[in-house]
Amino acid sequence: MKAIKPSAYARFLNALDSLDRISPSKKLDAIEEQLLNHIYLALVNGEKLLVGDVILLEQFGSQATLHGRLKNLVGKGFIQLIGDKGDGRRKSVHITSKAEKHYQQLSECLTKAIK
């Protein structure tokens, strides 16, 4: 069988795999990863996200599923839920420095892969 020359995307996937092996206990499942990506992009684009907004994102699952995934992301240290001082029922979603580091590592993997 003829060997296939790895593409930039294959190199990127290998780099991602190596990141997952470094800290397997903090690995995100597919829904958590998609949800964190959505949160990150919204915040990068200057949107303010509330927990109520996030649990209405039907493309990621039911409200119960999303609430559980938000709790997991908090527990794994990727996001914080900060209560509104004027209305205690409202909580805004913020990424942590750990999430910022995660996206920096992904950016570095992508940069290395395309070189």
Side-chain angles (χ1 to χ4, degrees):
M1 180 175 215
K2 182 180 174 184
I4 299 172
K5 182 180 177 187
S7 65
Y9 190 68
R11 290 189 300 272
F12 177 66
L13 291 176
N14 280 327
L16 287 180
D17 185 51
S18 68
L19 283 179
D20 289 342
R21 282 185 267 132
I22 291 171
S23 60
S25 65
K26 297 295 183 179
K27 185 175 179 183
L28 303 174
D29 70 21
I31 293 173
E32 291 166 349
E33 187 76 45
Q34 290 174 354
L35 191 55
L36 184 60
N37 287 341
H38 181 85
I39 292 166
Y40 177 72
L41 285 175
L43 296 175
V44 164
N45 291 325
E47 297 175 34
K48 182 179 179 183
L49 282 179
L50 298 173
V51 170
D53 300 328
V54 175
I55 63 171
L56 293 176
L57 298 170
E58 294 176 350
Q59 70 264 33
F60 300 119
S62 69
Q63 289 183 359
T65 297
L66 290 171
H67 192 267
R69 292 307 198 273
L70 283 174
K71 281 181 143 181
N72 290 348
L73 289 171
V74 169
K76 292 178 181 180
F78 287 96
I79 64 170
Q80 289 180 312
L81 306 179
I82 299 174
D84 185 311
K85 291 177 180 155
D87 185 350
R89 297 170 294 172
R90 296 169 48 108
K91 291 184 181 177
S92 57
V93 181
H94 299 269
I95 61 169
T96 63
S97 58
K98 180 176 182 171
E100 289 179 20
K101 182 180 176 185
H102 171 72
Y103 285 106
Q104 182 60 39
Q105 289 174 326
L106 292 177
S107 295
E108 289 168 8
C109 288
L110 186 56
T111 301
K112 289 177 186 176
I114 59 175
K115 285 185 179 180

